[in-house]
């Protein structure tokens, strides 16, 4: 009985995490109640793996059709954007507009809720796409691309529960506030899953570097968010994910040139 209930709970959490992170029709079998999203946040890295697999599959198909790494990388990147509904890209753009444009806390939060994109948001979005595309183009080899995309998407989401656990919501409503504060156990499991993905995808030494870089990036974003708007929002969580992707992909591309024989 205990094992069957545990399995049902794991499956339910996976469905919640995947439905939140992607457009895949894998919603929970029962309505989501208070605390379910926060509890299920441990499964966000698993949802990230699925997104990475989708991008890697499209990249492989493009290369098999004779395309060079440059357009193939753009198609693979586009696939990840489509699978997620550009949710995190939207969050990055809104965060850049809000933190860069408003003078007061209230004005910054108001800008983040505005569906229109401003100069800061456009620049952040362009930079994110170009950095990720150029990293994938540099990595090039299909199996390496598969590992890089899967690890990047899993690791980028692995720190989100901890970020939500440590940094309070900036407002009383909105996606982040409604999701609630993840339990420490969920945050710890998500972080461990992300670290394991880094180890299996790039080796222990690179994994340690990845954890350090991702943690530093998260701390900087946490400092900015707390200082400027008093906490985190759904948009800031989207920016957190985008920064994580960029960090892992750039690290992977850069370390290719430090390996023996390359």
């Amino acid at each position: 009985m205990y094992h069957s209930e545990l399995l049902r709970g794991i499956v339910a959490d996976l469905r919640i995490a995947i439905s939140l992170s992607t457009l895949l029709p894998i919603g929970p079998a029962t309505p989501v109640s208070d605390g379910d999203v926060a509890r299920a946040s441990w499964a966000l890295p698993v949802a990230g793996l699925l997104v990475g697999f989708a991008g890697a599959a499209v990249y492989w198909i493009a290369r098999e059709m004779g395309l060079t790494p440059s357009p193939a990388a753009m198609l693979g990147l586009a696939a990840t954007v489509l699978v997620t509904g550009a949710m995190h890209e939207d969050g990055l753009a809104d965060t850049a507009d809000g933190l860069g444009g408003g003078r007061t806390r209230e004005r910054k939060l108001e800008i983040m809720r505005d569906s229109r994109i401003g100069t800061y948001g456009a620049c952040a979005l362009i930079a994110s796409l170009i950095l990720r595309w150029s990293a994938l183009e540099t990595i090039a080899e299909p199996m390496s691309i598969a590992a890089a995309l899967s690890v990047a998407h899993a690791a980028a989401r692995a720190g989100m529960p901890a970020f939500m656990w440590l940094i309070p919501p900036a407002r009383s409503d909105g996606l982040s506030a409604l999701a609630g504060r993840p339990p420490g156990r969920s945050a710890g499991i998500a972080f461990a899953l992300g670290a394991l993905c880094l180890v299996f995808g790039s080796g222990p030494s690179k994994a340690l570097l990845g954890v350090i870089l991702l943690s530093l990036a998260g701390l900087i974003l946490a400092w900015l968010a707390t200082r400027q708007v008093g906490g985190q929002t759904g948009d800031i969580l989207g920016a957190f994910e985008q920064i994580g992707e960029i960090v892992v992909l750039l690290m992977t591309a850069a370390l290719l040139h430090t390996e023996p024989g390359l």
Side-chain angles (χ1 to χ4, degrees):
M1 178 68 72
Y2 171 77
H3 293 294
S4 62
E5 289 181 358
L6 178 63
L7 181 59
R8 282 197 297 269
I10 292 173
V11 171
D13 286 353
L14 286 171
R15 295 179 71 170
I16 290 172
I18 293 169
S19 66
L20 283 173
S21 302
T22 74
L23 297 180
L24 298 175
I26 313 179
T30 58
V32 177
S33 59
D34 292 343
D36 285 347
V37 172
R39 186 199 66 243
S41 62
W42 68 265
L44 287 175
V46 180
L49 283 176
L50 295 180
V51 177
F53 291 159
V58 170
Y59 180 87
W60 179 81
I61 292 170
R63 292 303 306 274
E64 287 295 305
M65 293 175 63
L67 292 179
T68 60
S70 182
M74 182 54 73
L75 288 172
L77 179 58
T80 65
V81 175
L82 288 174
V83 168
T84 60
M87 175 195 304
H88 303 304
E89 284 78 7
D90 180 67
L92 173 67
D94 287 342
T95 297
D97 279 334
L99 298 186
R103 288 186 175 273
T104 65
R105 173 183 179 275
E106 291 72 22
R107 179 56 181 156
K108 290 176 185 293
L109 291 173
E110 181 184 348
I111 291 173
M112 286 188 195
R113 275 192 162 160
D114 193 333
S115 60
R116 295 170 296 181
I117 188 170
T119 303
Y120 286 109
C123 290
L125 196 53
I126 291 170
S128 173
L129 290 170
I130 290 177
L131 287 171
R132 287 181 288 161
W133 164 72
S134 60
L136 292 173
E137 183 189 27
T138 300
I139 297 167
E141 200 277 319
M143 288 302 295
S144 297
I145 287 285
L149 277 174
S150 301
V151 170
H153 280 274
R157 290 165 174 80
M160 292 173 73
F163 194 86
M164 295 171 67
W165 187 79
L166 290 169
I167 312 300
R171 54 168 72 102
S172 58
D173 57 350
L175 180 61
S176 178
L178 293 175
R181 187 188 189 197
R185 180 180 179 182
S186 294
I189 292 174
F191 189 87
L193 288 175
L196 284 174
C197 287
L198 282 167
V199 170
F200 283 115
S202 54
S205 60
K206 293 179 184 177
L208 178 59
L209 176 61
V211 169
I212 292 172
L213 292 175
L214 287 168
S215 298
L216 286 174
L219 288 172
I220 292 171
L221 181 61
W223 176 76
L224 284 172
T226 303
R227 184 170 181 266
Q228 295 203 29
V229 296
Q232 45 87 7
T233 67
D235 286 327
I236 290 173
L237 290 173
F240 180 94
E241 191 280 337
Q242 287 283 282
I243 293 169
E245 274 189 59
I246 293 168
V247 166
V248 174
L249 291 176
L250 288 180
M251 180 192 75
T252 303
L255 291 177
L256 281 176
H257 300 288
T258 65
E259 295 179 357
L262 294 180

